[in-house]
């Protein structure tokens, strides 16, 4: 794979090339957090900002950092765009004689999406979402409609937050595959790696130079420094068995006493995909003479932390917060491995930062895995 | 086919939830098409007569006479639905449940002996069986519409029992607690408002009451770590759903 240098002032040109062909979604600071939104121009990036993150704490500060990509991930991920929080999969209308169901095709997008400055953890998350929505026996058409043609411009992470643990999950801080272009921010410019034909093509006309061995060494050193700043560890090789061996560990109940069951961790998780559905019928529709009733199916992001999530006809099989927390961690770090051959966690640290009481999944796992003899 | 008889009743409350029903606006005509509005003092002067297929009850039980009235309405109603914070948790007036009623009366009224109130204000469910509860101060049009539609279609209404946080995240509203250190009750409060206050940059103050399985104690511990004093935490909860939050706290401790 050839490596190139893109000077910092030429990032603008790359951005314009993308903008010509794609709707560019990237980091945008609003209301004190780095969110994801359509970028109008490069200057709307939160340049010079640092996100100070800890368990249950997030503060965005403009520290005038010399690096452009000095911040990492906020609460939002690509999930919001590919798997939107509110969807209306179909509408229905029932008259006395027949039931008519219409599933409108998603309106064709004017331009496909380009994710600008996507982090390695989120590139990994996107691969996991693809497994769920596209590689299962039942494909999600809506997901596919947005996913097709997506451009991924990844940025390697040199300033991980305190909550980041991609290194432990082996998804970062360097993106390995699944991207079209990747950038590593060096002192003078960006080291560019081309991950696909699409990536190569978008560089057409953007001035670049051949990278030297010194550039490659600078990149390696910066990434090594980034790795060493991530202190959290995950006993990957002990998974999933270590969790199956400790289903009645006392730690579950201790965590449940702190857990609010609010669902924030699952909503900010870039791979949590669960939804709930109900049928919405309006009063006005019921009063219509020509139809007995009509309305739409509503699909909403749901969370396994909600009490009703596991309610089925005749009962609820996870009535305690302990059971719900345990289920969530087991799904992420055990059932996923059984089902897909890889954990459902990418180490982005969002669930740690955005938990209002700061429950740290790596700390919980460590506590459970450490005491191998406790049942 | 005869139309279902709808009754709307008021106990101790501000009438705001009944107004939410009248605020259905364009859907209000549909309500009249679908239901025989047989008793609704805010809208008609029809006297209380007969039985009801659906009774919507606003307000808390706060006097001796109301204790009788609520039994009477339950007897007349096939389905009884409590609407609003007063009916579901006793309302703001339940603040007196932990105070001296005679002291309050003496302070407010020139002739306190004329005030015939119980020493407690309690939700409808403390007195009779309630089929569904619509939380909120006031209830939302969406919830009212959903419950009326569900009655007609004989289905279970899709009411939310999870946290306000879920609505914040769906709407992409940054967490005020985590990103600003604001004492937001969202994580222990029932959704349904579509995160109205956080959307405007204000922390949730719990007008929908405790969510399913709310962990109030843990959130308050967090607030205390953020520097709030115990009495400030108490004041956050001592609003229109004080009785419901206190019940949950009792359960958390036991």
């Amino acid at each position: 794979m050839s490596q190139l240098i893109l000077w910092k002032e030429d990032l603008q040109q790359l951005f314009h090339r993308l903008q010509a062909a794609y709707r560019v979604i990237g980091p945008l600071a609003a209301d004190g957090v780095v969110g994801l939104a359509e970028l109008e121009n490069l200057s709307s990036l939160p340049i010079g900002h640092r996100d100070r993150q800890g368990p249950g704490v997030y503060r965005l500060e403009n520290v005038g950092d010399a690096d452009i990509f000095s911040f990492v991930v906020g609460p939002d991920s690509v999930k919001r765009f590919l798997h939107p929080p509110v969807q209306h999969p179909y509408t229905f209308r029932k008259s006395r004689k027949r039931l008519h169901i219409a599933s409108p095709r998603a309106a064709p997008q004017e331009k496909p999406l380009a994710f600008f400055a996507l982090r390695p953890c989120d590139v990994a998350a996107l691969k996991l979402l693809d497994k769920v929505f596209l590689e299962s026996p039942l494909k999600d058409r809506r997901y596919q409609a947005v996913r097709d043609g997506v451009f991924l411009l990844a940025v390697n992470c040199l300033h991980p937050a305190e909550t980041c643990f991609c290194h432990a999950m082996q998804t970062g801080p360097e993106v390995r595959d699944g991207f079209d272009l990747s950038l590593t921010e060096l002192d003078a410019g960006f080291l560019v790696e081309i991950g696909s034909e699409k990536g190569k093509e978008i560089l057409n006309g953007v001035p670049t130079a051949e990278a030297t061995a010194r550039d490659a060494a600078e990149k390696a050193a910066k990434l090594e420094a980034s790795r060493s700043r991530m202190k959290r560890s995950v006993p990957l090789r002990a998974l999933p068995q270590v969790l199956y061996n400790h289903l009645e560990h006392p730690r579950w109940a201790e965590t449940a006493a702190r857990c609010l069951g609010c669902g924030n961790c699952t909503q900010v998780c870039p791979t949590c995909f669960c939804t709930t559905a109900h049928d919405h019928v309006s009063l006005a529709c019921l009063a219509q003479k020509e139809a007995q009733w009509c309305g739409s199916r509503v699909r909403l992001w749901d969370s396994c932390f909600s009490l009703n999530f596991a309610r089925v006809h005749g009962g609820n099989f996870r009535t305690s917060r302990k059971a719900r927390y345990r289920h969530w961690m087991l799904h992420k770090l055990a059932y996923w491995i059984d089902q897909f051959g890889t954990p459902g966690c990418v180490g982005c640290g969002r669930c740690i930062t955005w938990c209002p009481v700061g429950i740290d999944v790596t700390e919980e796992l460590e506590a459970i895995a450490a005491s191998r003899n406790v049942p | 086919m005869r139309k279902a008889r709808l009754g709307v009743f008021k106990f101790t409350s501000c009438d705001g939830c009944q107004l939410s029903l009248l605020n259905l606006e364009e859907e209000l005509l549909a309500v009249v098409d679908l239901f025989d509005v047989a008793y609704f003092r805010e809208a008609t002067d029809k006297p209380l007569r007969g039985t009801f297929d659906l009774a919507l009850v606003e307000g808390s039980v706060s006097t001796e006479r109301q204790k009788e009235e609520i039994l009477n309405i339950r007897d007349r109603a096939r389905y009884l639905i409590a609407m609003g914070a007063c009916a579901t948790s006793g309302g703001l007036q339940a603040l007196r449940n932990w105070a001296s009623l005679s002291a309050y009366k003496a302070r407010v009224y020139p002739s306190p002996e004329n005030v015939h109130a119980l020493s407690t204000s309690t939700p409808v469910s403390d007195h009779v069986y309630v089929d569904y509860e619509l939380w909120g101060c006031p209830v939302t049009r969406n919830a009212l519409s959903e419950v009326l539609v569900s009655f007609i279609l004989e289905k279970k209404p899709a009411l939310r029992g999870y946290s306000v946080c879920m609505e914040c995240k769906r709407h992409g509203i940054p967490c005020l607690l985590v990103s600003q250190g604001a004492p937001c009750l969202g994580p222990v409060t029932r959704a349904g408002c579509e995160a109205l206050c956080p959307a405007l940059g204000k922390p949730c103050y719990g007008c929908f009451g405790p969510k399913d399985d709310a962990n109030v104690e843990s959130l308050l511990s967090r607030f205390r770590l953020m520097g709030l004093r115990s009495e400030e935490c108490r004041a956050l909860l001592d609003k229109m759903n004080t009785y419901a939050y206190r019940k949950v706290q009792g359960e958390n401790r036991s």
Side-chain angles (χ1 to χ4, degrees), chain B residues 111-183:
Chain B
S111 314
E113 66 279 4
N114 292 334
V115 179
H116 303 291
L118 294 169
S119 61
T120 57
S121 165
T122 44
V124 174
S125 62
D126 276 14
H127 301 269
V128 295
Y129 177 77
V130 172
D131 293 284
Y132 287 105
E133 290 188 322
L134 304 182
W135 292 74
C137 181
V139 288
T140 62
R141 291 172 47 166
N142 282 349
L144 281 169
S145 170
E146 173 66 17
V147 84
L148 292 175
V149 164
S150 300
F151 173 84
I152 301 275
L153 296 179
E154 299 181 325
K155 75 175 186 69
K156 218 180 94 181
L159 301 173
R160 295 174 180 183
Y162 47 71
S163 70
V164 173
C165 304
M166 299 280 288
E167 292 180 335
C168 267
K169 291 294 179 285
R170 279 178 202 154
H171 290 287
I173 301 164
C175 179
L176 296 166
L177 202 165
V178 170
S179 74
Q180 297 178 17

Side-chain angles (χ1 to χ4, degrees), chain A residues 59 80 258 262 311 324, chain B residues 156 163 169 178 213 218:
Chain A
R59 292 292 183 278
R80 180 173 299 281
R258 294 173 64 206
C262 60
R311 189 152 98 178
R324 295 199 291 277
Chain B
K156 218 180 94 181
S163 70
K169 291 294 179 285
V178 170
D213 195 22
S218 177

Side-chain angles (χ1 to χ4, degrees), chain B residues 209-230:
Chain B
K211 72 175 195 76
D212 290 341
D213 195 22
N215 191 348
V216 177
E217 282 306 299
S218 177
L219 185 64
L220 294 189
S221 299
R222 174 77 183 140
F223 288 170
R224 284 191 288 268
L225 279 175
M226 282 159 37
L228 264 72
R229 285 173 289 131
S230 291

Side-chain angles (χ1 to χ4, degrees), chain A residues 30-33 54-60 75-76 80 85-86 256-264 266-268 276 278-287 289 292-293 300-303 305-308 311 319-321 324 353-358, chain B residues 24 26-31 33-35 142 144-146 148-150 152-153 155-156 158-166 168-182 186-188 211-220 222 226 252:
Chain A
D31 302 323
V33 307
V57 182
Y58 178 102
R59 292 292 183 278
L60 185 66
D76 257 336
R80 180 173 299 281
V86 182
R258 294 173 64 206
C259 175
L260 301 172
C262 60
N264 273 304
T266 56
Q267 304 301 284
V268 296
T276 180
H278 66 269
D279 292 327
H280 175 74
V281 175
S282 74
L283 276 166
C285 171
L286 279 185
K289 298 285 176 278
Q292 276 179 297
W293 40 260
L300 299 170
W301 280 358
D302 201 4
S303 171
F305 281 89
S306 302
L307 181 62
N308 266 346
R311 189 152 98 178
T319 53
S320 69
R321 275 199 303 282
R324 295 199 291 277
T353 299
W354 299 98
C355 172
V357 293
Chain B
L24 283 171
E26 68 271 25
E27 289 200 300
L28 196 58
L29 290 175
V31 174
D33 272 355
L34 295 163
F35 292 90
N142 282 349
L144 281 169
S145 170
E146 173 66 17
L148 292 175
V149 164
S150 300
I152 301 275
L153 296 179
K155 75 175 186 69
K156 218 180 94 181
L159 301 173
R160 295 174 180 183
Y162 47 71
S163 70
V164 173
C165 304
M166 299 280 288
C168 267
K169 291 294 179 285
R170 279 178 202 154
H171 290 287
I173 301 164
C175 179
L176 296 166
L177 202 165
V178 170
S179 74
Q180 297 178 17
V188 295
K211 72 175 195 76
D212 290 341
D213 195 22
N215 191 348
V216 177
E217 282 306 299
S218 177
L219 185 64
L220 294 189
R222 174 77 183 140
M226 282 159 37
N252 284 167

